[in-house]
Amino acid sequence: TGSGDGQLNNPTGIALDGLGFVYVADRGTRRVQKFDANGNYLLQWNEGMPGQPLSILFGMGVSPAGEIFVGDLDLIKVFDSNGVYQREISRTTGGRFFFVLDIAFTPAGNFFVVDGDDTVSRFGSDETTNLVIGARRSQNGFGDPRGVVRDSAGFLYVLDTDPLTNSSRIQKYTDDLQPVTSWQVSITSGLPLRNLAVDGSDRIYAG
């Protein structure tokens, strides 16, 4: 733990690009760091537009084009692989984001965003919102969604926690956010689950 090169202090997002480089959003130091596949530190950045420091970092993702999408409070800030600022993205329907908690991409460049207002938004490759779903604690809605991943078959998985019962479930959706199924996830530590990951065999991990 620390603020030196390669050190972390409350990391909140991690993403891997097609070349094997790893990007970590660190809320404690308000920066993004880049590492190689062996974990060696390469570089970092802590600004969006020039003179505007990063603020409250959450989830992140890497687009098929290799751009780094970083959730910074109520905006997505986009950078190239060397941390050079490109642009900002907000929701074009349903108002601004509350907190950008996680981001998952399709191979075509569409992407899904889990938001702190208990919704999931779908964006087209033109970076405009084309669908928003979410209804607190409904059967196919959300209590407190946290993570999102997409498998090789195109199904979307959302990690959802219920702050009232400290329980978690994973909900599975089609690419157009139609519900498929859901299942409960056992929690043994007493702490809520925060993140999802999917491996090359489409196995889903929650932690």
Side-chain angles (χ1 to χ4, degrees), residues 78-107:
V78 185
F79 303 85
D80 71 12
S81 60
N82 291 314
V84 178
Y85 173 80
Q86 304 295 306
R87 60 193 178 279
E88 292 179 348
I89 300 171
S90 185
R91 234 175 11 198
T92 51
T93 60
R96 291 171 68 92
F97 294 116
F98 187 67
F99 289 120
V100 179
L101 296 174
D102 204 6
I103 305 168
F105 279 89
T106 74

Side-chain angles (χ1 to χ4, degrees), residues 50-89:
Q52 293 189 5
L54 298 177
S55 178
I56 302 177
L57 303 181
F58 285 97
M60 63 189 309
V62 178
S63 75
E67 291 185 311
I68 316 304
F69 283 50
V70 179
D72 187 10
L73 195 57
D74 60 352
L75 291 169
I76 296 173
K77 297 182 178 178
V78 185
F79 303 85
D80 71 12
S81 60
N82 291 314
V84 178
Y85 173 80
Q86 304 295 306
R87 60 193 178 279
E88 292 179 348
I89 300 171

Side-chain angles (χ1 to χ4, degrees), residues 2-8 29 31 33 41 44:
S3 58
D5 293 351
Q7 294 181 319
L8 302 171
T29 57
R31 63 181 176 176
Q33 296 190 82
Y41 166 84
Q44 63 179 281

